[in-house]
Amino acid sequence: MAFGRKVRIYLADGAPSGIRHVEIANWSGQAIACPRSRLNELKDWSEAQRPGVYFLLEKQTAETGDRAYLGESENVVKRLSQQDKNQDFWNEVIIFTSKDENLTKGHIKYLESRLTTISIEADRYKIENGNTPTESLLPRADKDSMEEYIHNLRIVMGTLGHRVLEPIKVVESPQNEVPSKPKLSKFIFNFSIRDLNAKAQQTDDGFVLFKGSDISGKTSKSMPGKTLSIREKWIADGTLVPNGENFKLTKDSILSSSSYAAVLVAGTSRSGPQSWIDENGRSLKAVEEILLAET
């Protein structure tokens, strides 16, 4: 059973885009999120002058993708002054340290290695690290403590809008009937047109187009420019591979709307809510209307 968590975010100057200090109730860890333009102000934050790990982040669009670099240091601010010169892509840094003195060099090396591995496996962001750092050897109790730290760190990262550590999650089996407490994410939808077949699901992250879905090899003038850009990016990075005259999706991929997914599959302008059908023959729009009526 999942429990709610209390996350407190302090806006240092009252602006949501400025420096933010983040805590979770009953957690000794802490985070500081800072835009690159305010990096010089971190020298006044003792919380950032401790041993810890950090994420250099660039949040882009669905067409271009997101990027991240992970690092560690015994004095994060000092290290960041060097990264500002060595890494050009990022526009935000999120630092994780501890309120006490219990994070040692061994701990942060372990965190760096584990977080890099988790980020690569999640496959949400392009990870700019050249290699995965070696995981430091820790006593069993310390490892468990660091895994708990990672659990809370993931909550903070997601709260701050970065799901770099979260794999795309889909429900394996479809929901046949509307349950007493319905969730749209329990339904799996299909879209078939010509010889193309695709499967997808609405999730908390967005509309997930499943691995193995067909994508049209042809496009029409009615296809919106944004979906053309997404299509070109997916072809370039290997998310789409040739499959006869069409393409095949090589991994579960998130889109911001069901219509974008339908357009990509068909290669023409389409209505997602009308195109995606569940196993009972109901459109996505119809299922949404049923669920809204039940609440």
Side-chain angles (χ1 to χ4, degrees):
M1 178 180 176
F3 293 93
R5 304 297 298 273
K6 180 180 179 181
V7 179
R8 187 176 74 171
I9 302 178
Y10 166 67
L11 308 179
D13 57 4
S17 60
I19 297 178
R20 288 139 287 157
H21 182 253
V22 189
E23 301 172 285
I24 295 178
N26 301 316
W27 180 44
S28 63
Q30 60 186 339
I32 299 174
C34 177
R36 186 169 186 166
S37 61
R38 308 280 290 274
L39 186 61
N40 64 307
E41 297 178 33
L42 287 183
K43 66 179 183 295
D44 297 324
W45 287 73
S46 61
E47 295 89 344
Q49 299 175 31
R50 299 183 175 204
V53 292
Y54 59 90
F55 293 77
L56 303 180
L57 300 152
E58 181 182 37
K59 191 78 171 175
Q60 300 185 333
T61 64
E63 301 99 301
T64 55
D66 305 317
R67 293 193 286 172
Y69 176 92
L70 290 79
E72 58 80 22
S73 176
E74 292 184 90
N75 185 321
V76 178
V77 169
K78 185 176 181 180
R79 176 62 176 158
L80 287 174
S81 65
Q82 300 169 346
Q83 290 286 9
D84 191 37
K85 301 173 184 176
N86 299 335
Q87 297 285 350
D88 292 330
F89 73 90
W90 62 284
N91 51 31
E92 181 181 17
V93 61
I94 300 178
I95 299 166
F96 288 89
T97 61
S98 177
K99 299 172 189 174
D100 52 34
E101 304 297 327
N102 290 331
L103 276 184
T104 66
K105 182 67 173 180
H107 292 141
I108 60 176
K109 291 293 291 182
Y110 179 88
L111 290 172
E112 180 191 33
S113 176
R114 286 283 290 123
L115 292 170
T116 302
T117 298
I118 293 169
S119 299
I120 292 171
E121 290 176 350
D123 200 20
R124 293 264 195 158
Y125 286 43
K126 179 183 178 183
I127 305 304
E128 296 291 334
N129 297 62
N131 50 56
T132 301
T134 302
E135 187 177 301
S136 59
L137 296 175
L138 293 177
R140 185 183 299 272
D142 284 32
K143 274 192 175 184
D144 286 347
S145 293
M146 291 303 98
E147 290 300 321
E148 182 181 7
Y149 189 99
I150 290 171
H151 175 77
N152 288 319
L153 183 152
R154 294 171 88 146
I155 293 173
V156 172
M157 287 294 290
T159 301
L160 291 172
H162 293 283
R163 312 273 328 250
V164 60
L165 300 168
E166 304 303 323
I168 296 172
K169 295 179 181 179
V170 296
V171 175
E172 297 297 332
S173 58
Q175 177 74 55
N176 295 321
E177 300 296 334
V178 177
S180 58
K181 291 185 178 180
K183 289 185 178 181
L184 187 58
S185 60
K186 297 293 184 181
F187 292 80
I188 293 177
F189 296 91
N190 297 278
F191 176 37
S192 296
I193 183 171
R194 301 188 296 277
D195 294 326
L196 304 167
N197 296 287
K199 185 177 291 187
Q201 185 176 41
Q202 185 70 57
T203 72
D204 292 343
D205 288 336
F207 199 75
V208 177
L209 195 57
F210 283 15
K211 175 183 178 180
S213 292
D214 296 319
I215 303 294
S216 175
K218 298 179 180 179
T219 60
S220 71
K221 292 182 179 180
S222 67
M223 190 172 179
K226 184 170 183 176
T227 50
L228 276 172
S229 298
I230 294 171
R231 184 178 185 274
E232 291 170 1
K233 176 184 179 296
W234 284 4
I235 293 171
D237 66 18
T239 300
L240 290 178
V241 295
N243 183 41
E245 296 182 351
N246 300 305
F247 292 95
K248 188 75 75 174
L249 194 65
T250 62
K251 62 181 182 179
D252 296 335
S253 300
I254 296 177
L255 294 159
S256 59
S257 78
S258 61
S259 290
Y260 285 163
V263 168
L264 283 166
V265 173
T268 60
S269 181
R270 304 287 302 189
S271 165
Q274 299 288 358
S275 298
W276 294 100
I277 308 297
D278 78 351
E279 67 168 15
N280 294 317
R282 299 171 297 197
S283 69
L284 171 59
K285 181 180 180 181
V287 172
E288 287 178 326
E289 290 174 348
I290 293 171
L291 298 184
L292 286 171
E294 291 289 325
T295 57

